[in-house]
Amino acid sequence: MSEEDDPLARDGNWRRLSISFDDPRAMEQMGPNLEVSIAAVTEQGTTLAQHEVSALIDTGSKSCCISPRLAPKMDGGLRGVRNFYGFLEGRPTIRGLVRFKNGVEFIRDFSVLHDLAPYDVLIGRDILREGRMYIDGRTAHFRLYFPDRTA
């Protein structure tokens, strides 16, 4: 799909991130994934060191997560607890700023998820609901759109 055929890119109110995979089977097996940067955010709102990591797009996950490998690098970020599915025992969270390659960024509380390998970040519906996606499994082409807040 060219930009001329892409109504979201054409209207100028959306920022697009376009990713193509060499092998459609890889996207089918592993899901849409991409590189992002992530940094811990302190209680005062200060952004700490950025880390370039791989992220998995997961429309089945309610919220964003990070791997146990990444959690120590996010030290200094505001910590909290998120309860899942009504259980009293919650999952620890670390506040972080995730930035996509197209410059779009979000601050969210990231739960630590042990079954995330080989990825370090999982992008869940708490971010995905802000945008739109286009996935072509046949050609292994993936586009992620977010509103252009500067427009």
Side-chain angles (χ1 to χ4, degrees), residues 15-79:
R15 297 188 76 179
R16 179 179 71 186
L17 184 60
S18 186
I19 300 160
S20 294
F21 297 84
D22 294 332
D23 181 2
R25 290 175 298 196
M27 188 172 76
E28 182 180 327
Q29 290 174 351
M30 300 298 287
N33 57 83
L34 61 151
E35 298 294 315
V36 298
S37 67
I38 188 167
V41 176
T42 67
E43 186 174 359
Q44 295 77 22
T46 304
T47 303
L48 303 178
Q50 291 187 0
H51 307 280
E52 300 291 325
V53 297
S54 59
L56 176 67
I57 301 295
D58 187 352
T59 60
S61 179
K62 181 178 179 180
S63 55
C64 292
C65 301
I66 59 172
S67 72
R69 291 182 310 278
L70 183 59
K73 296 177 183 176
M74 301 283 288
D75 196 33
L78 179 63
R79 294 192 177 260

Side-chain angles (χ1 to χ4, degrees), residues 93-111:
T93 62
I94 302 172
R95 182 148 308 149
L97 179 142
V98 65
R99 179 175 293 129
F100 294 91
K101 296 291 182 188
N102 63 356
V104 174
E105 58 188 32
F106 296 92
I107 294 177
R108 294 291 188 271
D109 291 336
F110 289 80
S111 299

